[in-house]
Amino acid sequence: MTTPPDGQDRVIRVLLADDQTLVRAAFAMLVESAPDMAVVGQAGNGREAVELARTERADVVVMDIRMPGTDGIEATRMIASTEDLAGVKVLVLTTYDTDENIVEALRSGAAGFLVKDTRPAELLAAIRTVAGGECLLSPGPTARLIARVLRAPSPVPAPAALAPLSAREREVLTLVARGLNNTEIADALALSPLTAKTHVSRIMGKLGARDRPQLVIAAYESGLVVPATHEA
């Protein structure tokens, strides 16, 4: 492992959880090539991932969904609900077109998700994003996937669920559900980035959401955001 870049004095400790040895090996080579990251463990199933996250003090777990025994969804739920693992962030892997359990993973506390054919640079950037305390919600794939899974055939509005929110907060929540970050929300609504961030934090508090992925799900489930009919 090389020295982290100037200005960064902490190496991101990454745990890889996937039941395919070759996949783990490929990801390990990629992560170890980054000067600001280190692979601290590899797990073949979810229970191993939870145990290693604790013993190896992982910062980020790159978690496959479909594994034998304890799968990635249950492992994510266990990590998110365990007090001494509160600082561990989970990036869930999915095949996107077939693995719609990703929504349940987001509900369970994942910081975001990646598709398995993600480009190497994007994977490293995603690890840095969640290690820095942010959630990985890209405008396209995340919103489309959640919308497709939550389509019932059509969303059933539940306005009571959003009753605590002001009109401005509903506007902000709509933009969060579209995948915009705080800076983009600020630009769209002519706010300062700090004000946008404050709105997002207040919305989380009012809705009891842990993170932005849960806000996206709440927006679709409440009917505030309706999936576009052209989305596949």
Side-chain angles (χ1 to χ4, degrees), residues 16 26-28 30-31 37 62 91 93 114-115 118-129 136:
L16 304 172
F27 284 157
L30 173 63
V31 171
M37 299 181 195
V62 180
L91 269 179
L93 292 174
L114 298 171
V115 292
T118 294
R119 290 180 295 180
E122 292 174 342
L123 172 58
L124 297 179
I127 292 172
R128 294 185 183 103
T129 295
L136 191 70

Side-chain angles (χ1 to χ4, degrees), residues 92-232:
V92 170
L93 292 174
T94 176
T95 54
Y96 177 56
D97 286 329
T98 60
D99 212 341
E100 295 183 342
N101 286 333
I102 184 63
V103 170
E104 187 60 30
L106 294 176
R107 285 195 178 104
S108 299
F113 79 93
L114 298 171
V115 292
K116 278 200 169 181
D117 61 353
T118 294
R119 290 180 295 180
E122 292 174 342
L123 172 58
L124 297 179
I127 292 172
R128 294 185 183 103
T129 295
V130 299
E134 298 294 328
C135 291
L136 191 70
L137 281 176
S138 59
T142 302
R144 286 198 299 271
L145 178 59
I146 292 174
R148 190 171 72 244
V149 174
L150 294 180
R151 191 178 291 141
S154 60
V156 179
L162 302 182
L165 303 186
S166 67
R168 173 61 85 184
E169 287 168 342
R170 293 186 186 212
E171 288 181 314
V172 171
L173 178 57
T174 298
L175 296 180
V176 169
R178 299 300 186 196
L180 275 65
N181 60 34
N182 290 343
T183 299
E184 292 166 337
I185 291 172
D187 290 343
L189 299 179
L191 305 171
S192 72
L194 179 59
T195 299
K197 180 178 180 180
T198 299
H199 278 308
V200 172
S201 296
R202 286 176 178 169
I203 295 168
M204 286 183 183
K206 289 182 178 182
L207 298 185
R210 283 190 300 264
D211 47 37
R212 293 175 86 99
Q214 290 198 337
L215 289 184
V216 175
I217 292 170
Y220 279 106
E221 287 186 326
S222 68
L224 178 66
V225 177
V226 178
T229 56
H230 67 272
E231 290 178 336

Side-chain angles (χ1 to χ4, degrees), residues 27-51:
F27 284 157
M29 290 180 62
L30 173 63
V31 171
E32 288 288 358
S33 73
D36 57 339
M37 299 181 195
V39 175
V40 297
Q42 298 186 37
N45 59 58
R47 186 161 295 279
E48 289 180 7
V50 175
E51 293 172 355

